[in-house]
Every structure is written in structure tokens, then in C-alpha cells.
């Protein structure tokens, strides 16, 4: 027993597939588009269609890319000889937006998790191993998340690189800039303390 | 300077047109669809297209409807002889979902606001006046919001109905069920007090 007409009901149901969107906000979004922004609805439908038809996984970085415009496989990025490994596309975007790093990337698409059946193949580590073996990488920068599984993944990848004589670094973890020791969680604080550096 | 490829950038931009979606959540939504729910993205694109092509404003209730399935103009609804006026489609849906009312509706699409140039024509009040004059309405239920402009709109519509000898009622306003007097705002409390009823 619902007040939605069939197409309105389907639109609300479809909007609920977006992460973080519950029934109330899906209804608000649908009514907003129909009432005040039909042009926005058209734009969104078109953008979704174009994304689905034109965005692929780059066979080299495993990042989403548009074959004709893959911004992450350029010759200038390769020149630096650095390869940064991240878990997810969002991590790559965060590094690209916040740091001056402009080398190559490798997106795992997850982290090793034997209990969930996520092994080295699922993360494309054979592909990574090939890239580490071809002599183009001087430094492998591991930027997996500082969780138990992220650390285990970092350790596994570090071994892959060392076996191929590639220098391995790991991004630093510690007290966040602007954070106050008093409020930082204990694990982070003890990690930061153990990782203290000479000034 | 962005890490987004053109189509990914456009998808994020399009998602930001949804109400309540900022840059961070738009990025999260876009990556989620591409990474984990391409089927959901297809479903959403299709639902948007079908909504745009198949949902119209009902010429009678001014609610969104699908001409072949207008659930708000049925003969059974007309039989009751009641017409409920609301400001927005979301108000109609709330009444339909929470009350046993199953009469007809009229959606204003806003409220009178002379300063913003929203007059009686913009709210379709000529159309409402016609319906009030055709003898099918025994009771006009006004369910505009209890704001200054909503009250002014209610007052204006009540006059329209009285001039056509149609009985007018207004939904009750007062302390919300489960609310505590202590925490209710003063305006609501004094309204509730003045509107006290004999037990
Ligand atoms: Zn690429
Ligand atoms: Zn209708």
C-alpha cells in the first residue's frame, strides 16, 4: 500500500541503491528531480550511461580510466620510476588531490583477506609482480590502509618487491596533523611513538 | 587539477545535483556504482529515463502521475466528496502513508508568497476554484503547513471554498504525539492551548 505511482516507485527504489541513501532521502531526491530539476535528472541519466559505456578498468593500473584519456599511464608518470599501491580508487584520488606525487599507481581493489577468499590473484598481484620485474620501477610506495589486513597486504607486497630487488617504502602513519595526542586512539599513538624520527 | 577522468567527473557532478549530496558523497556514490554496482547504475539510469518520459502532472490533482495509472483520480476517491489541499507532493505521500484518508487531493506546488511573486495562479487556484464549483466536493480539507505563509494560503483557500458554499476544515496542529510540553516550541504550545477540546 504505497502512494507512489509505478515509475516514481521504481525511481525511489533505484536511488536507494546509492550508498548512504535511505527511503526518506530517496523519496526527497526523486521528488526534487521531478518537481524542480528535470534537467538535472536528464543530466544524471546521461552521465550514468556515459560512465557505464566509457569507463573501464585500466589493464595496467586497474584504476577506472577512459581508454583514450588514461591519465595514469602517461609517459611522464612512468618516467619517475615510482609506483604507488593503494587499496581503492578513492585512495588514489585522495593521494592525487592532496600530495604532489605524480608517479604511477596500482589499485588492488581490496586487501588480502583469506577468510573472505580474497587472495593475491583477486588483487591482481601477478600483474603487479610483472610490472615490478620489468625494470621500470625504482621505488614501490605502499599506501594500503593501516588496518590489520592492510598491513598484512603491505607485508606481502613488500616481499614481492624485495624478491625483485625493488626498493619498498610505506607511507607514514601517526598522529594526524592538527590532531591532539589526548584524543588520538592508543594504537595510533603507540605506532607514532615507535616510529619517532631524529630531528 | 583533478584526478577524475572526464566521464567520472561528469558523473560526480551529476550526482551532486541530488539534494543533500556534497562532493565527498557524490564521489563515494560514483565509485561505488562503478566498482560494486554497475547493475544499480543501469537500473538508476533507466528509472530516471522512464520517470522523465512517463511521469506527468495530473491536470486535476497536480500530483505527479502516470496518465494510465493515476491513482489519485479514481472514481472511488471521488465518491467520498472530500478534497484535501497540500503544498507539495511529499505532503500528499505523507498523508496517504500515515492516515486512512482516501479522498481526492489538490497539490498547490508551494504557498502564497507575494514577495517571491507566487500568487494564486502559480498555485493553480483557478483550477481549484473550478473543482469547488462543480458540486462534487462536500468537504475541503486544508493541510498546508503551519507556517505564516502556509496559514495565509489556508486562509485564502478557505475563502474560495466558503464563497462556493463548500465546508472547509483544517488539520489540527498542536503538541506532537509523544512530544513533551517542556520541549515543544512556544508557538506550537500556545496554538495547542487555544485549540483545546472538550473531553
Ligand atoms: Zn591506464
Ligand atoms: Zn490524476
Amino acid at each position: 500500500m504505497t502512494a507512489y505511482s509505478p515509475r516514481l516507485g521504481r525511481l525511489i527504489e533505484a536511488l536507494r541503491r546509492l550508498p548512504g541513501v535511505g527511503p526518506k532521502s530517496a523519496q526527497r531526491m526523486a521528488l526534487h528531480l521531478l518537481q524542480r530539476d528535470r534537467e538535472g535528472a536528464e543530466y544524471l541519466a546521461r552521465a550514468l550511461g556515459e560512465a557505464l559505456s566509457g569507463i573501464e578498468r585500466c589493464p595496467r593500473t586497474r584504476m577506472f580510466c577512459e581508454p583514450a584519456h588514461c591519465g595514469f599511464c602517461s609517459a611522464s608518470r612512468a618516467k619517475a620510476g615510482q609506483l604507488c599501491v593503494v587499496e581503492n580508487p578513492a585512495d588514489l584520488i585522495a593521494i592525487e588531490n592532496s600530495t604532489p606525487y605524480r608517479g604511477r599507481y596500482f589499485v588492488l581493489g581490496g586487501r588480502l583477506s583469506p577468510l573472505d577468499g580474497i587472495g593475491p590473484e583477486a588483487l591482481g598481484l601477478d600483474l603487479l609482480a610483472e610490472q615490478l620485474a620489468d625494470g621500470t620501477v625504482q621505488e614501490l610506495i605502499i599506501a594500503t590502509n593501516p588496518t590489520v589486513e592492510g598491513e598484512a597486504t603491505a607485508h606481502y607486497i613488500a616481499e614481492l618487491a624485495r624478491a625483485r630487488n625493488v626498493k619498498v617504502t610505506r607511507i607514514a602513519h601517526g598522529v594526524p596533523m592538527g590532531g591532539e595526542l589526548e584524543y588520538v586512539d592508543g594504537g595510533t599513538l603507540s605506532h607514532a611513538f615507535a616510529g619517532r624520527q631524529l630531528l
Side-chain angles (χ1 to χ4, degrees), chain A:
Chain A
M1 180 67 237
T2 168
Y4 305 136
S5 69
R7 287 171 199 240
L8 178 56
R10 280 198 297 275
L11 178 55
I12 291 171
E13 203 178 285
L15 287 163
R16 286 200 60 187
R17 301 208 30 179
L18 296 170
V21 176
K24 280 266 170 192
S25 15
Q27 177 187 307
R28 196 158 49 92
M29 288 172 172
L31 294 176
H32 172 85
L33 291 175
L34 286 168
Q35 228 179 328
R36 302 199 193 85
D37 194 13
R38 294 179 79 94
E39 204 190 293
E42 270 167 45
Y43 183 48
L44 179 54
R46 205 166 48 239
L48 285 163
E50 285 177 2
L52 286 169
S53 68
I55 299 181
E56 293 173 6
R57 286 277 183 168
C58 172
R60 195 172 172 84
T61 69
R62 293 169 44 106
M63 176 61 178
F64 299 121
C65 76
E66 297 173 32
H69 308 260
C70 185
F72 301 107
C73 288
S74 63
S76 75
R77 284 182 181 265
K79 218 172 47 192
Q82 292 171 304
L83 182 60
C84 176
V85 178
V86 294
E87 291 183 17
N88 289 303
D91 303 329
L92 182 161
I93 291 169
I95 292 173
E96 195 71 10
N97 284 341
S98 313
T99 78
Y101 178 75
R102 291 296 176 267
R104 284 156 60 200
Y105 288 95
F106 189 87
V107 178
L108 300 168
R111 45 198 166 198
L112 290 175
S113 178
L115 292 181
D116 302 313
I118 303 176
E121 326 69 45
L123 304 183
L125 294 186
D126 43 343
L127 191 65
L128 177 62
E130 272 173 39
Q131 294 181 35
L132 290 170
D134 70 7
T136 60
V137 183
Q138 269 78 60
E139 178 186 3
L140 181 75
I141 302 167
I142 304 182
T144 53
N145 290 312
T147 57
V148 173
E149 290 174 340
E151 293 291 349
T153 308
H155 182 78
Y156 187 98
I157 293 172
E159 290 305 316
L160 278 187
R162 283 194 202 102
R164 286 155 187 83
N165 287 313
V166 172
K167 177 172 115 185
V168 190
T169 59
R170 176 102 174 92
I171 61 165
H173 297 106
V175 178
M177 297 299 293
E180 295 188 52
L181 293 199
E182 188 180 348
Y183 300 112
V184 153
D185 71 283
T188 299
L189 188 54
S190 94
H191 196 105
F193 199 82
R196 66 191 179 278
Q197 299 183 324
L198 198 61
L199 290 182

